[in-house]
């Protein structure tokens, strides 16, 4: 799919990829420079009580904090969701992601590409793209496996990776060989749900709609949530339960579509045999416009 000027022209916004720490840093600096935000690290929320007019949270050390409302943006394994939705643990997809970042100097010149590149293989795929104006090269390798470790960001075994990628193309293997240490994620998601709020408590981001990463949209959807939530609260500053319902209703179908389509794209990338041949035929027959139209439901915005 052509990006660059083509994407800007078609969607009105540039297509961009960003280092996780860079976007996090931008949000952090914005919070630090606002007199309305107080940041407290290492505070574990154990439970909450909604008293109608205000919400109390109970922290890990037994301390309590009071506020007008509670936004549960506590991720895939959300404690707050357990009370608002109560649908148990996330679904383990059986797919594992390994991630690493190389310095530009460590990427052979003939393998360096200023694009987002995805190598699709049977039950695997491999993605790379430059970050920070080309100073870094981000690598993500995904494969099917029953291996399971709860949580995230563990160190990934190289042997396990090679078992799945050994038959891949030489370009992929040459890049994989350059990585000393991989971080590993066991990928999970959930079925979409329609109810994200109860009284003065509301969910946002992965707590509301955890998704597989195949459309690279989890953090994007969390950010859109925040914008829409802020708009809804600005419209109903004196009725937060109403504002939260308006936000939920504005967001749940769009994010449900991304949750569902992320699974479909995962199957598409990892296809084998005749399914893979059909995929390749379909993609080869697409024009630039077809490619853009196929993703317009997402990139045209909420
Ligand atoms: C391999 C992989 C690749 C990805 N690639 C992309 C991508 O390219 N583009 C994209 O947009 N998204 C991507 N994502 C998804 C993205 O990382 C998530 O969707 C995003 O981080 C969700 O943000 P969040 O703030 O909702 O949750 P999180 O980032 O999970 O943050 C939740 C926070 O809550 C804290 N917390 C949890 N429980 C408690 C508690 N009880 N008390 C206090 N604090 C608590 C956690 O410590 C954490 O800091 C990817 C994810 C994975 C796994």
């Amino acid at each position: 799919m052509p990006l660059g000027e083509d994407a800007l022209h078609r969607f009105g916004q540039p297509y961009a990829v960003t280092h996780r720490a860079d976007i996090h840093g931008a949000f952090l600096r914005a919070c630090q420079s606002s007199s309305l935000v107080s940041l407290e690290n290492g505070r574990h929320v154990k439970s909450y009580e909604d008293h109608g007019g205000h919400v109390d949270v109970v922290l890990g050390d037994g301390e309590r904090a009071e506020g007008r409302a509670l936004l549960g943006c506590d991720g895939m394994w959300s404690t707050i969701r357990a009370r608002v939705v109560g649908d148990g643990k996330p679904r383990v997809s059986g797919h594992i992601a390994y991630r690493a970042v190389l310095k530009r100097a460590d990427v052979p010149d003939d393998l360096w590409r200023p694009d987002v590149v995805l190598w699709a293989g049977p039950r695997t795929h491999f993605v790379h793209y430059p970050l920070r104006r080309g100073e870094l090269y981000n690598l993500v390798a995904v494969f099917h496996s029953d291996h399971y470790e709860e949580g995230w960001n563990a160190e990934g075994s190289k042997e396990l990776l090679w078992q799945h990628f050994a038959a891949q193309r030489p370009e992929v293997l040459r890049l994989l060989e350059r990585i000393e240490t991989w971080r590993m994620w066991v990928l999970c998601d959930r079925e979409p749900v329609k109810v994200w709020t109860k009284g003065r408590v509301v969910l946002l981001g992965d707590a509301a709609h955890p998704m597989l990463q195949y459309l690279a949209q989890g953090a994007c959807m969390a950010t859109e949530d925040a914008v829409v939530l802020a708009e809804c609260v600005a419209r109903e500053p004196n009725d937060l339960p109403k504002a939260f319902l308006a936000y939920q209703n504005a967001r749940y179908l769009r994010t449900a579509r991304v949750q569902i389509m992320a699974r479909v794209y995962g199957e598409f990338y990892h296809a084998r045999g005749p399914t893979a041949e059909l995929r390749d035929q379909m993609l080869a027959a697409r024009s630039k416009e077809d490619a853009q139209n196929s993703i317009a439901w997402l990139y045209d915005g909420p």
Side-chain angles (χ1 to χ4, degrees), residues 20 43-45 73-75 79 99 185 205-206 216-220:
R20 188 173 286 258
R43 304 280 258 169
H44 184 80
V45 174
C73 37
D74 49 346
T79 301
R99 304 170 78 207
W185 280 258
D206 276 7
Q217 284 298 311
C220 299

Side-chain angles (χ1 to χ4, degrees), residues 37-38 63:
V37 178
S38 128
E63 213 183 311

Side-chain angles (χ1 to χ4, degrees), residues 17-18 20 24 42-47 59 72-80 97-99 129 138 140 142 152 185-188 204-213 215-222 225:
V17 288
T18 312
R20 188 173 286 258
H24 230 214
R43 304 280 258 169
H44 184 80
V45 174
K46 271 174 66 182
S47 63
L59 301 170
C73 37
D74 49 346
M76 177 76 73
W77 302 88
S78 169
T79 301
I80 308 303
Y98 274 38
R99 304 170 78 207
Y129 48 87
N138 192 43
V140 186
V142 181
W152 62 298
W185 280 258
V186 172
L187 301 170
C188 300
L204 185 150
D206 276 7
H209 45 68
M211 54 187 63
L212 298 178
Q213 85 297 356
L215 283 167
Q217 284 298 311
C220 299
M221 289 297 122
D225 286 351

Side-chain angles (χ1 to χ4, degrees), residues 158-175:
K158 279 205 229 176
E159 289 68 38
L160 185 64
L161 182 71
W162 281 106
Q163 277 171 27
H164 292 271
F165 276 86
Q168 274 281 6
R169 288 180 58 92
E171 297 91 327
V172 173
L173 299 184
R174 282 177 58 214
L175 277 170

Side-chain angles (χ1 to χ4, degrees), residues 115-136:
D115 299 312
V116 178
V117 179
L118 188 148
W119 301 87
R123 306 183 87 193
T124 58
H125 81 273
F126 180 55
V127 179
H128 50 77
Y129 48 87
L131 292 170
R132 281 196 192 143
R133 301 161 299 275
E135 292 157 32
L136 301 173

